[in-house]
Amino acid sequence: MKLVIAEKPSVAQTIAKVIGATEKKDGYLEGNGYVVSWCVGHLVELATPEQYDARYEKWKYEDLPIFPKEWQYRVSAGTKKQFKVLQELMKRADVSSFVCATDAGREGELIFRLVYHQAGCKKPFERLWISSMEDEAIKEGFANLKPGTEYDALYEAALCRERADWIVGMNATRLFSTLYGQTLNVGRVMTPTLAMLVMREAEISGFKPEPFYSVSISVAGITATGERMNEKKDAETLLEAVEKEKKALVSKLSVVEKKEKAPVLYDLTGLQRDANRMLGFTAQQTLDYTQSLYEKKLCTYPRTDSRFLTEDMEGMLPRLVEKMKEKFGFHGHIVVNPKQVINNKKVSDHHAIIPTMLVNDAVFAELSSGEQKVLSLITARLLAAVGEPAVNRETSIEFLCAGHTFTAKSKQTVKLGWREIWEWILGKKTTQEDKEEEENAAKYVDVISEGKSFPVQNPELKEGKTTPKKHFTEDTLLSAMEHAGAEEMPEDAERKGIGTSATRAATIEKLVRIGFVERKGDKKTKYLIPTHKGTALVTVMPEQIQSPLMTADWEEKLLQIERKEYPADEFMGGIEEMVNDLVKTYKVIED
């Protein structure tokens, strides 16, 4: 008898159905030589400092730093019943081995291993590693189970991440809270993210708009603009000169057709960014909707940081594309270019997020509105990613008048290419500015030729003001998190930035939940604004804690630990050394 342990009940039920474990019991299912049960997220968690020593119940500076010699764990208060079920199943005499079927990633590995060790189990186990909850994917996964020992390095990296976060979080939170006489929550990923928000708001509030001026002219119905000027009198002088000149020479005419490559497939961060920008969803909402679609077998594993597929998937792509076309009622032709989305070297644990064949039979009315929209995004991205390039005609004209150059530019779509299916599924939002540019573009070359002079009409002085950077939205913050510290990281570093695709949404939600950040704005656009409490925390944080470079460096080293390229002991030693220096050398910032 094999005991299969999944990460949550819904996944366990899906697996149980496929492998024939259909007899329902209290906390598990059984049948066909299998027992299938589940965790409920993290059943086992790190002990708090006071569980190591009662003196840590009171936060005192002199007790810092806290470095456990032997790490202790406890069963979460709300999950003791399910842990007991798993522990008893593990001890059953007829259960000879296990299958770890938690989510195939760093955190999923940690969830299973902590339960396994907390239960004091020594029985052998294998690993189920799948990227789809489709029946065939589950069957294939069980036919190709891997020895659990092959994932020891992944577990080691997960332990390092969890314990290092504990060391930094517990020590830094107690350090700053005791020094400043108030609770100041500090986190290795959370604090640098908050710092980016605070710094952006400081830039905005400290910004002083400056006026600028330009002169525009109309030539043969085309509006062209001169260079920006800082002094109004200079612009007024130019306006007078243009009014006297009355003619403009076409000094340069350039018409170029440029190809716009199809977009890459979605990783989780890319999907969250588009869902925020286009649909107004928070990063957490998008993850929740995508996780639900995954469990309903309608898309592949969501917590991925890859934007490509593997070579063995190439053969199924034309059929999947055809099925998705049918489902969304698109009758146009899509030339499938699989090589655009295939790259084994850029797929680590999981490939990009794509819809499954089962979408073709899905009843959309049975899905929530959010699930429908996210599934449409994922499908549109797949069909676009394998499509032909879009082709745009870009026209640039320079007019010479009164010794100054005036420029007009336009862009006209010549061939929709991949955009045709994208706009079919998601719709096209065209602004009045876009329409005018399209209309103007067509007539540029018809009426204008290089070396010709034309009368100048409607010369006009225009005044504007410089504007500050915009407040962060979840879209732009996710991008900033993804690329934070990238300029200091090695060129060949595969993962840069703060956190991972799987953790960024939770970081943003935690900042909001504990009152460091609030969402402001209308239904269409929500901005993330640091609160006074959040700003005050960052003000007293030393650079090493609030810098994205530290956490970006961590992510790179954790990846190296997964690959057995960097020793875990060296990583943890570096963390303890950094925290010890922080505790011993930090000086209170006076008001």
Side-chain angles (χ1 to χ4, degrees):
M1 187 80 75
K2 279 189 177 182
L3 171 60
V4 180
I5 300 178
E7 195 162 316
K8 55 175 66 174
S10 57
V11 175
Q13 288 160 10
T14 299
I15 291 173
K17 186 178 177 183
V18 172
I19 61 178
T22 55
E23 189 179 345
K24 291 184 179 180
K25 303 284 186 177
D26 186 15
Y28 64 98
L29 299 107
E30 190 170 347
N32 197 31
Y34 290 100
V35 178
V36 182
S37 191
W38 52 86
C39 303
V40 188
H42 284 270
L43 292 181
V44 178
E45 59 190 17
L46 280 166
T48 58
E50 51 267 31
Q51 290 173 293
Y52 288 91
D53 193 321
R55 68 190 170 103
Y56 293 139
E57 286 183 10
K58 291 186 177 181
W59 294 13
K60 297 177 183 177
Y61 174 79
E62 51 269 28
D63 287 337
L64 301 176
I66 303 169
F67 299 138
K69 287 186 172 61
E70 294 292 331
W71 288 91
Q72 296 178 23
Y73 287 84
R74 65 180 184 183
V75 178
S76 304
T79 59
K80 286 181 178 177
K81 180 184 176 183
Q82 189 58 23
F83 176 80
K84 189 177 179 183
V85 169
L86 287 172
Q87 190 173 37
E88 289 174 355
L89 290 173
M90 288 176 169
K91 290 178 178 177
R92 266 176 49 168
D94 61 340
V95 170
S96 57
S97 65
F98 310 146
V99 175
C100 169
T102 48
D103 283 358
R106 194 190 288 166
E107 288 310 298
E109 194 70 25
L110 184 66
I111 287 169
F112 168 78
R113 298 280 190 125
L114 291 182
V115 170
Y116 179 82
H117 291 302
Q118 191 74 8
C121 195
K122 301 290 183 185
K123 294 177 183 178
F125 64 89
E126 297 169 289
R127 189 52 158 115
L128 175 71
W129 195 272
I130 55 176
S131 290
S132 167
M133 289 302 295
E134 292 172 282
D135 291 1
E136 284 305 312
I138 294 170
K139 288 175 186 175
E140 187 178 341
F142 270 88
N144 295 282
L145 292 171
K146 301 285 178 66
T149 51
E150 285 192 19
Y151 297 89
D152 285 351
L154 180 66
Y155 169 54
E156 196 167 33
L159 273 183
C160 284
R161 195 279 309 156
E162 179 188 50
R163 292 174 178 180
D165 276 344
W166 189 98
I167 287 173
V168 172
M170 290 294 178
N171 283 287
T173 296
R174 287 174 179 235
L175 171 66
F176 296 113
S177 296
T178 54
L179 291 178
Y180 289 98
Q182 57 179 301
T183 303
L184 296 172
N185 299 89
V186 181
R188 184 264 305 190
V189 175
M190 183 179 72
T191 305
T193 303
L194 177 61
M196 287 197 298
L197 287 161
V198 170
M199 285 187 276
R200 172 62 60 88
E201 290 308 306
E203 286 181 68
I204 293 170
S205 61
F207 180 82
K208 293 181 179 178
E210 295 180 358
F212 62 85
Y213 309 89
S214 62
V215 174
S216 69
I217 59 174
S218 180
V219 182
I222 299 164
T223 300
T225 305
E227 64 183 31
R228 182 183 289 191
M229 298 176 176
N230 295 327
E231 299 295 331
K232 187 174 184 178
K233 62 180 180 180
D234 293 338
E236 288 172 339
T237 301
L238 175 57
L239 181 63
E240 287 178 15
V242 168
E243 288 171 339
K244 287 178 183 177
E245 185 93 2
K246 295 183 179 178
K247 282 193 175 183
L249 173 74
V250 181
S251 57
K252 186 178 179 181
L253 172 61
S254 169
V255 182
V256 180
E257 287 195 356
K258 288 188 178 179
K259 289 184 177 180
E260 185 182 356
K261 288 197 303 185
V264 292
L265 296 168
Y266 279 133
D267 64 355
L268 178 57
T269 299
L271 177 60
Q272 287 170 320
R273 289 188 60 195
D274 273 6
N276 178 252
R277 180 173 53 84
M278 300 169 68
L279 305 172
F281 293 162
T282 67
Q284 188 62 49
Q285 284 174 325
T286 302
L287 176 55
D288 291 343
Y289 291 138
T290 313
Q291 179 69 27
S292 178
L293 291 168
Y294 169 65
E295 291 172 18
K296 291 175 180 176
K297 310 180 185 183
L298 298 177
C299 78
T300 57
Y301 185 70
R303 290 172 174 82
T304 177
D305 58 5
S306 175
R307 297 175 181 180
F308 292 89
L309 306 178
T310 51
E311 289 173 3
D312 59 338
M313 301 175 74
E314 184 172 342
M316 66 85 186
L317 268 174
R319 184 163 165 261
L320 178 61
V321 167
E322 198 58 38
K323 289 284 186 186
M324 296 306 103
K325 271 179 57 182
E326 288 175 18
K327 184 66 178 178
F328 284 86
F330 182 70
H331 301 296
H333 180 57
I334 297 178
V335 178
V336 180
N337 299 290
K339 298 297 182 188
Q340 293 174 184
V341 297
I342 303 286
N343 191 332
N344 275 15
K345 291 179 180 178
K346 293 189 176 180
V347 179
S348 51
D349 295 341
H350 296 280
H351 57 69
I353 305 169
I354 59 172
T356 68
M357 292 285 187
L358 294 179
V359 171
N360 195 52
D361 301 318
V363 180
F364 271 40
E366 294 176 357
L367 301 176
S368 71
S369 173
E371 289 170 341
Q372 290 178 36
K373 290 174 181 177
V374 170
L375 184 55
S376 295
L377 257 184
I378 294 169
T379 305
R381 191 61 163 235
L382 168 70
L383 300 181
V386 298
E388 295 282 275
V391 180
N392 300 309
R393 180 179 294 129
E394 296 183 5
T395 304
S396 177
I397 304 173
E398 291 183 5
F399 296 98
L400 194 61
C401 180
H404 285 257
T405 299
F406 296 80
T407 306
K409 292 183 178 181
S410 73
K411 185 165 75 172
Q412 182 183 23
T413 302
V414 177
K415 179 183 175 184
L416 278 171
W418 62 268
R419 286 192 171 278
E420 185 177 7
I421 185 66
W422 181 262
E423 292 170 8
W424 173 269
I425 295 176
L426 302 176
K428 181 182 179 182
K429 292 180 180 177
T430 307
T431 64
Q432 185 60 35
E433 205 172 276
D434 293 332
K435 289 179 183 176
E436 289 173 3
E437 189 169 297
E438 286 276 349
E439 290 168 3
N440 287 337
K443 67 183 179 183
Y444 272 21
V445 183
D446 294 338
V447 300
I448 297 292
S449 58
E450 208 168 294
K452 274 191 172 184
S453 291
F454 295 86
V456 171
Q457 297 173 318
N458 305 319
E460 185 181 357
L461 189 150
K462 293 188 176 181
E463 182 175 342
K465 286 186 178 180
T466 55
T467 56
K469 290 180 179 178
K470 292 184 177 179
H471 302 288
F472 275 118
T473 62
E474 295 210 19
D475 167 23
T476 55
L477 181 61
L478 285 167
S479 177
M481 292 174 76
E482 189 175 26
H483 297 99
E487 62 277 4
E488 287 95 356
M489 294 293 286
E491 276 301 315
D492 59 350
E494 292 194 19
R495 179 180 287 156
K496 301 172 181 176
I498 298 175
T500 66
S501 289
T503 60
R504 289 177 188 129
T507 298
I508 295 171
E509 289 304 316
K510 185 174 182 180
L511 285 168
V512 173
R513 187 176 68 253
I514 63 180
F516 286 164
V517 174
E518 56 188 350
R519 291 186 172 97
K520 288 186 175 181
D522 52 29
K523 286 184 179 179
K524 186 178 179 183
T525 306
K526 284 275 195 299
Y527 295 108
L528 294 166
I529 310 295
T531 61
H532 176 72
K533 181 180 173 184
T535 303
L537 174 64
V538 170
T539 303
V540 300
M541 281 300 107
E543 177 62 24
Q544 68 192 110
I545 293 293
Q546 62 174 279
S547 168
L549 184 57
M550 181 186 78
T551 189
D553 181 55
W554 278 30
E555 291 300 338
E556 185 62 21
K557 283 178 176 156
L558 289 170
L559 197 60
Q560 289 174 335
I561 292 169
E562 286 181 22
R563 296 171 177 161
K564 303 179 183 178
E565 296 170 355
Y566 190 80
D569 288 347
E570 189 174 329
F571 174 79
M572 293 304 298
I575 301 302
E576 290 192 9
E577 185 180 347
M578 185 270 289
V579 169
N580 189 59
D581 288 346
L582 176 67
V583 171
K584 303 302 181 192
T585 63
Y586 181 79
K587 302 295 182 188
V588 173
I589 296 173
E590 302 291 344
D591 289 339

